[in-house]
Structure formats: C-alpha cells, structure tokens
C-alpha cells in the first residue's frame, strides 16, 4: 500500500517511522516532511494546508491511505475533500474537527453530552466578559475560540490579568478571527495527562496514557509552547482512572458525536486534568499530539497501518492494541529563543552517534537537509526519544543521547519525566 503522511514535525517523523515498519506498506511519502523524514520516505514539497495540492498528488500517485498530522488541514476540511473524491484518509471530517477548531463548540458539546469539564461562560462582547470576570472568584482561564497555535489560552491569577487577556484577544485582536468569541472558565487544579484514542465513529480504543510538558522552562515556568517533552505511560492515570476516563469521557464523546450526526474517524485526544473530583476535559484535539506521539509510537507494538485500515473500514472493534511494557520519554531540543523569535540555519552535529544508542530514536521536527548536512529550520528542532525499563531508566538514556547532539543556541528542559519519577 502507498501511504501519504501530511505534516512536517516530530509527530510526523514518528508516524512515518512507525508506518514504514508495517508489512503492508510499499511506499511512503510525506508532505512536506523534514530533514529526518527524507531518510525514510519521499518528501514532497507541498504544504500541509495546501489541500488541492495534496489531493492532486494523492490522485496522481494513487495513494491508498493519507494520514493527516496537524489540525489546520482537518479543520479546513481535507477529509471531506478527499472522501468526496473516493480517497481513504485518516482523520475526522471538518465538523468533527470543530472539537479542536472551536472552544465554544467543544465546551457546548461537553455540556450537552454530560462530559466533565470546567464550568464556563461564552462571550462575544468584551465589556460583558469584563463585567462577568469582576463578579467571579479568581483564578480564571480565558480562551480564544479558534485555533491559535496553542497560544490562545490565558491562565489568570487575578481579575486584572483576566481582563487584560480579554483585551489582548478581543480588542487588540492578536489571534484575528479566532478571538471574536472567548470562553471564560473556572481554573482546575490537579495533574494533567493526555489520553489519545482511536475512533471509527462507533468504537473507541484508547491508547496508553501520556503526559506532555507545555511550558518552556524547567519546573513548568515560562510561556506555553507546542510541547517541550513527553512521556508514556503517565502514572497519574491508574487503571481505575483509565476506566473512569473511558466511561465518562471517551464513550460519552463518541455517543455525543453520533447523536450530532458527525462521522468521526481518526484520533480523539482528550487533554485531561485529574482533579480531586475526578478527571475533567481541558480540551480536545482531533489528531495525534506532538510530542506525545513520539513516546507513544515507540511503545506501540500493533501495526499502525492495520489500525488505520480498520478505522477506514469501520472495523476498529476487531483491533486490540498491544504495548511495550517499557516506558518512553521524549525530550524536545529547541532553538534558542523559542517560543519567541529564534535564528535558524545552524548545522546539527552528533545525530548519528545519538541515534546509534540502543533504544534511542531521534525524531526530527524543524530540520532541513542541505548538502549532506542537517540544519535547524524551526523552533522545535528534534524530539529525542528513548525506551527504558521504567521512566527513570528512559530519562537516563534519553539525556545521554541529548548530550551528544549539538547546534548553536540549542536548549531543552532538563526535568522531563520528573513528575512521574516523584510518584
Ligand atoms: P488548552 O489549549 O485548552 O489545553 O490549554 C492549554 C493549557 O492551559 C492546558 O494544558 C492547561 O495547562 C491550561 N488550562 C486550560 N484550561 C484550564 C483550566 N480550566 N484550568 C486550569 N488550567 C487550564
Ligand atoms: N502536545 C499538545 C498538542 O499536541 O497539542
């Protein structure tokens, strides 16, 4: 089978790597891919949001399955377009992608279908939002409705901060149309975890738990990023907790989608806060997480292409996922300055040495191949991932590998997995 993976990050490198191990695959392409993906797949220079370009490539090459990594093309309707042309594609239709594309839609959806989430109010008028905030106890969380590359969420410790967030989103309009509406919600306390699940519209099959590290600096300090590291499994999600999440969150989500008449195929990702009242949903994503996918896929023993095929045929109930019992940890190496401004075009050294260590996988994100060398080309540059008998062992191995890789301005968090180690 010929497979096309859409995207260019560490998640996509992990997807391409995993799919390349399938017995059923004959050729893999990635659009647009990156410097690491080029070594194991054909990279084609089509942007991830160029739906027409991707469609004509998939038709010309007779691609059997297209697997979509990032959210933007899903929200824009890549699945609707491909399916109209009779092509197999892994991901939800645009209406389903609204679970990530609109916080207003997803909060209303959760309320309607009894899925535990923080209490909230929706505003399209900044003055009304400010009045509401003044009458509420802090802390509060203010969220832009639409896609904002993970930057549209403000956790505010006092009313003045929350009012400023309203100003940034609605008056200054820094997220454009994504900030026409906002959600103001209660701030939840607890530990976060990511639960990703496969879904074919009827059956939902959860993957093992994982946890990412959104803040840029050690000790969860500094601004939010796309994710500075992740590990799997997450000890905060015990067996009982997973059962509760399946019943109260995942099953209700699929039933809700069916009731709304939304055919949902692909991955549903619930960002969860484990509170003392039980697990609650912070947000949905409609795709694999980045960087959670890196530790998850090195642990997944099941053939991913088999799962993709089963979902396409509505036969996910026949799939039982198998996992490596070991733990996996991914440390993101980033360009100095990220998530703000940073320079790129620096040569990366030590990749081969690090990649040769047993149980180490060096997934590329913002890299480019140039004349036989690998150069930095983005904020998140690499997702160095390792397996170990437990999180502690995986942490040791992964940081050993990270220490061998050098580029100008490189930085990374030194405490990935520490919360799990503390348990
Ligand atoms: P989101 O994009 O909605 O996941 O929000 C990004 C991050 O903001 C989450 O991973 C949490 O750390 C934080 N966050 C979002 N909503 C809440 C909430 N209601 N209470 C506490 N923290 C939140
Ligand atoms: N790791 C969070 C995300 O993929 O959105």
């Amino acid at each position: 089978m010929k497979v096309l993976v859409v995207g260019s990050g560490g998640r996509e490198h992990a997807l391409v790597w995993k799919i390349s191990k399938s017995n059923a695959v004959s050729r893999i392409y990635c659009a647009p891919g990156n410097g690491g993906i080029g070594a194991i797949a054909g990279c084609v220079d089509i942007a991830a949001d160029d739906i027409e370009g991707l469609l004509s490539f998939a038709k010309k090459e007779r691609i059997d399955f297209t697997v979509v990594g990032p959210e933007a093309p899903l929200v824009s309707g890549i699945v609707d377009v491909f399916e109209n042309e009779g092509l197999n594609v892994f991901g939800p239709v645009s209406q389903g992608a609204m679970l990530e594309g609109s916080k207003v839609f997803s909060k209303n959806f959760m309320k309607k279908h009894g899925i535990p989430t923080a209490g909230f109010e929706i505003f399209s008028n900044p003055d009304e939002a400010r009045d509401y905030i003044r009458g509420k106890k802090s802390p509060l969380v203010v969220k832009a409705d639409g896609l904002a590359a993970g930057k549209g969420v403000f956790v505010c410790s006092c009313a003045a901060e929350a009012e400023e967030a309203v100003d940034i989103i609605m008056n200054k309009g820094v997220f454009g149309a994504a900030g026409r509406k906002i959600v103001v919600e209660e701030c939840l306390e607890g530990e976060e975890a990511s639960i990703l699940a496969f879904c074919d519209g009827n059956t939902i099959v959860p993957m093992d738990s994982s946890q990412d590290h959104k803040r840029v600096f050690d000790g969860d300090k500094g601004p939010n990023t796309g994710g500075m590291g992740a590990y799997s499994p997450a000890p905060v999600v015990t067996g009982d907790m997973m059962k509760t999440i399946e019943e109260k969150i995942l099953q209700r989500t699929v039933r809700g989608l069916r009731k709304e008449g939304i055919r949902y195929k692909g991955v549903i990702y619930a960002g969860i806060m484990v509170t003392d009242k039980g697990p609650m949903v912070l947000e949905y994503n409609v795709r694999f997480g980045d960087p959670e996918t890196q530790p998850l896929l090195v642990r997944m023993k099941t053939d991913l292409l088999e799962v993709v095929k089963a979902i396409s045929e509505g036969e996910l109930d026949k799939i039982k996922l198998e996992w490596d019992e070991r733990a996996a940890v991914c440390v993101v190496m980033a360009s100095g300055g990220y998530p703000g401004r940073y320079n790129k075009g620096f040569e990366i050294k030590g990749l081969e040495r690090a990649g040769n260590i047993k149980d180490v996988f060096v997934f590329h994100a913002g890299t480019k191949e140039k004349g036989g060398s690998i150069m930095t080309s983005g904020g998140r540059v690499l997702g160095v991932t390792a397996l170990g008998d437990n999180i502690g062992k995986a942490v040791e191995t992964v940081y050993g590998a990270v220490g061998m890789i050098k580029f100008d301005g490189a930085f990374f968090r030194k405490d990935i997995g520490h919360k799990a180690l503390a348990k």
Side-chain angles (χ1 to χ4, degrees):
M1 279 191 290
K2 286 169 124 183
V3 179
L4 168 65
V5 174
V6 176
S8 61
R11 163 184 52 210
E12 286 75 19
H13 192 182
L15 284 166
V16 167
W17 168 81
K18 180 69 182 155
I19 292 169
S20 73
K21 298 191 163 308
S22 170
N23 293 326
V25 73
S26 58
R27 185 93 176 85
I28 309 187
Y29 296 97
C30 188
N34 62 36
I37 293 173
I40 52 172
C43 288
V44 276
D45 193 15
I46 307 171
D49 56 2
D50 177 4
I51 295 178
E52 286 308 315
L54 293 167
L55 177 68
S56 62
F57 178 80
K59 280 164 95 175
K60 186 176 76 157
E61 290 297 327
R62 299 177 185 278
I63 298 293
D64 296 292
F65 283 99
T66 298
V67 177
V68 184
E71 62 277 15
L74 293 168
V75 173
S76 305
I78 188 171
V79 172
D80 311 61
V81 170
F82 271 52
E83 285 187 344
N84 272 338
E85 299 278 338
L87 294 171
N88 286 315
V89 54
F90 181 84
V93 291
S94 64
Q95 233 193 334
M98 288 284 279
L99 280 181
E100 177 167 0
S102 165
K103 303 237 186 246
V104 169
F105 176 87
S106 78
K107 293 297 285 193
N108 282 330
F109 176 90
M110 286 188 263
K111 190 171 170 185
K112 187 165 166 194
H113 299 290
I115 296 155
T117 190
F120 69 100
E121 217 49 67
I122 291 162
F123 298 95
S124 46
N125 176 318
D127 296 327
E128 285 170 21
R130 276 194 219 98
D131 282 346
Y132 174 81
I133 286 166
R134 283 187 208 121
K136 276 279 182 189
K137 262 212 283 214
S138 294
L140 287 169
V141 183
V142 181
K143 300 181 172 183
D145 175 38
L147 291 183
K151 296 185 182 116
V153 174
F154 297 79
V155 179
C156 308
S157 55
C158 62
E161 240 179 78
E163 287 184 57
E164 198 188 324
V166 173
D167 192 49
I168 291 169
I169 301 171
M170 302 191 94
N171 297 332
K172 299 209 172 89
V174 301
F175 307 113
R180 259 187 227 139
K181 286 186 189 167
I182 57 168
V183 174
V184 180
E185 67 181 38
E186 141 198 31
C187 189
L188 300 176
E189 267 181 59
E191 194 172 333
E192 287 183 51
S194 305
I195 302 295
L196 282 74
F198 291 109
C199 181
D200 69 358
N202 290 306
T203 304
I204 190 152
V205 176
M207 296 177 226
D208 262 8
S209 59
S210 57
Q211 183 161 1
D212 78 349
H213 298 61
K214 287 207 172 87
R215 304 292 200 96
V216 69
F217 299 127
D218 287 8
D220 291 330
K221 304 250 161 51
N224 267 331
T225 67
M228 293 299 294
Y231 57 86
S232 169
V236 64
V237 183
T238 57
D240 284 346
M241 179 63 63
M242 194 65 185
K243 259 193 213 135
T244 310
I245 291 170
E246 274 198 73
E247 259 169 49
K248 298 206 165 146
I249 295 173
L250 299 179
Q251 297 295 349
R252 288 181 191 177
T253 301
V254 202
R255 278 204 298 272
L257 286 163
R258 286 182 54 193
K259 272 195 199 144
E260 306 279 336
I262 299 171
R263 242 173 0 95
Y264 196 107
K265 293 186 171 188
V267 168
I268 289 189
Y269 162 146
I272 283 174
M273 186 74 92
V274 178
T275 72
D276 46 16
K277 282 188 235 142
M280 299 179 102
V281 177
L282 292 171
E283 62 158 353
Y284 287 110
N285 292 321
V286 296
R287 50 170 174 84
F288 282 103
D290 191 345
E292 291 94 325
T293 302
Q294 290 84 316
L296 278 171
L297 290 187
V298 301
R299 292 192 55 232
M300 188 187 289
K301 288 187 178 167
T302 316
D303 182 333
L304 181 58
L305 196 49
E306 288 299 320
V307 181
V308 167
K309 211 163 140 254
I311 289 174
S312 155
E313 288 159 1
E315 294 188 338
L316 186 58
D317 56 332
K318 297 198 176 128
I319 296 281
K320 191 170 174 320
L321 296 180
E322 284 187 62
W323 298 93
D324 192 319
E325 288 296 320
R326 291 175 294 169
V329 174
C330 167
V331 174
V332 170
M333 297 183 75
S335 297
Y338 173 81
R341 288 157 65 94
Y342 55 82
N343 292 320
K344 46 194 185 185
F346 300 115
E347 187 178 353
I348 309 172
K349 299 224 173 87
L351 287 168
E352 203 174 307
R353 213 175 130 218
N356 282 337
I357 302 173
K358 188 169 173 282
D359 295 329
V360 167
F361 310 82
V362 180
F363 294 118
H364 291 222
T367 75
K368 238 191 193 129
E369 196 265 346
K370 200 176 153 195
S373 299
I374 299 289
M375 318 296 281
T376 66
S377 68
R380 289 194 290 174
V381 176
L382 300 166
V384 184
T385 306
L387 281 164
D389 286 339
N390 50 48
I391 299 263
K393 291 265 167 60
V395 163
E396 218 178 286
T397 308
V398 82
Y399 279 109
V402 165
M404 293 176 182
I405 300 174
K406 309 277 178 216
F407 54 90
D408 281 359
F411 84 94
F412 52 88
R413 275 182 64 161
K414 298 184 179 62
D415 64 346
I416 302 300
H418 283 204
K419 259 190 219 157
L421 285 178
K423 283 190 188 276

